[in-house]
């Protein structure tokens, strides 16, 4: 169900309440939220439908079943969800093969977490085949565990992916910091009982209890994440 990477240990630095860091992928570490929307527009254009730009806020950050199902219903396109999933995944993979821009601050943050041996997991609503393609570029060695959207019974906005990741790292969800870019991901992390850093990519996210909103990952480092739990 998961991919484990033994290169990184699972020890927590002494004196810190932070036990693990759980990171979303699309729009958080890699600048790909726009890729998904572009692919969705192209696929539906090929089916004879134009997507309304306002729908982007509905589908962002969601699992394929929710976003694809919504777009099929909204357009009335003659395609099954299974067929659409294949087309969207292939279109996305084609794009990341050409370019995969990292979000500002992502490489530095991953390097810092690795250097301090902070247990780190990648938790995404994307399918395993997409995650593995991205990991080949992003660096699988940075993650002790990865969880894909098609490997859990209920993906985001349900808490299951984050609960599974925390358990896999031997961490208490209440002592985990999650970094997310969408309301869907934030809802999943908060439902799991984690502390959340929101870095909005497409739609605004408001601060709340146990939720800190920043403009960029460049504002986030290990000291910042540890401070969330103090």
């Amino acid at each position: 169900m998961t991919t484990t990477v033994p290169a990184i240990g699972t020890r927590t630095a002494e004196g810190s309440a932070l036990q693990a860091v759980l990171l979303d992928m699309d729009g958080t570490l890699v600048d790909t939220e726009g890729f998904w929307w572009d692919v969705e527009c192209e696929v539906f254009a090929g089916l004879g439908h134009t997507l309304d730009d306002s729908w982007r806020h509905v589908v962002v950050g969601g699992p394929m079943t929710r976003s694809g199902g919504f777009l099929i219903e909204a357009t009335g396109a003659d395609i099954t969800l299974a067929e659409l999933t294949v087309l969207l995944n292939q279109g996305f993979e084609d794009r990341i093969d050409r370019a995969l821009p990292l979000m500002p601050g992502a490489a530095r943050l991953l390097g810092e977490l690795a250097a301090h041996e902070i247990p780190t997991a990648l938790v995404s609503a994307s399918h395993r085949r997409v995650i593995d393609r991205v990991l080949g570029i992003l660096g699988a060695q940075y993650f002790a565990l990865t969880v894909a959207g098609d490997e859990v019974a209920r993906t985001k906005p349900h808490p299951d992916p984050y609960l599974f990741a925390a358990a896999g790292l031997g961490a208490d969800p209440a002592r985990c910091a999650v970094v997310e870019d969408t309301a869907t991901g934030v809802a999943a992390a908060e439902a799991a009982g984690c502390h959340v850093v929101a870095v909005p990519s497409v739609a605004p996210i408001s601060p709340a209890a146990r939720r800190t909103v920043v403009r960029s990952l460049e504002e986030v480092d290990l000291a910042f994440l540890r401070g969330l739990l103090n």
Side-chain angles (χ1 to χ4, degrees):
M1 179 176 288
T2 61
T3 295
T4 57
V5 183
I8 294 182
T10 55
R11 291 183 288 119
T12 303
E14 283 188 30
S16 173
L18 179 67
Q19 290 185 339
V21 176
L22 315 177
L23 301 161
D24 175 53
M25 186 177 75
D26 294 301
T28 298
L29 293 176
V30 289
D31 191 8
T32 51
E33 289 293 8
F35 286 16
W36 283 113
W37 181 247
D38 290 344
V39 171
E40 288 160 347
C41 288
E42 288 182 9
V43 168
F44 277 91
L47 297 170
H49 300 275
T50 300
L51 301 187
D52 190 309
D53 195 59
S54 66
W55 296 344
R56 183 175 182 180
H57 296 276
V58 178
V59 301
V60 66
M64 193 77 72
T65 51
R66 190 193 77 185
S67 57
F70 169 82
L71 292 174
I72 290 172
E73 182 176 355
T75 60
D78 184 19
I79 189 171
T80 67
L81 181 59
E83 293 168 336
L84 178 62
T85 297
V86 172
L87 293 177
L88 293 179
N89 278 332
Q90 187 58 59
F92 182 81
E93 290 173 28
D94 290 345
R95 272 173 168 70
I96 63 175
D97 282 344
R98 296 196 296 268
L100 182 63
L102 270 61
M103 299 299 288
R108 175 202 44 78
L109 178 59
L110 289 174
E112 183 180 13
L113 295 174
H116 288 83
E117 297 185 308
I118 303 299
T120 302
L122 185 71
V123 184
S124 176
S126 291
H127 288 188
R128 169 56 58 189
R129 57 180 283 184
V130 171
I131 288 180
D132 286 345
R133 186 71 67 91
V134 172
L135 283 172
I137 303 170
L138 183 61
Q141 71 274 14
Y142 292 114
F143 305 99
L145 181 74
T146 64
V147 180
D150 56 341
E151 295 174 338
V152 289
R154 301 185 306 170
T155 189
K156 304 173 187 180
H158 298 287
D160 305 37
Y162 282 113
L163 292 173
F164 190 88
L169 295 177
D172 178 354
R175 295 178 65 182
C176 292
V178 170
V179 185
E180 273 280 0
D181 73 301
T182 67
T184 298
V186 167
E190 291 180 341
C194 304
H195 294 262
V196 180
V197 179
V199 192
S201 62
V202 175
I205 299 173
S206 299
R210 298 171 67 90
R211 181 197 310 166
T212 302
V213 180
V214 299
R215 292 172 295 179
S216 166
L217 280 184
E218 293 182 314
E219 300 177 38
V220 180
D221 58 14
L222 181 53
F224 179 94
L225 295 173
R226 282 176 169 161
L228 298 176
L229 279 72
N230 291 337

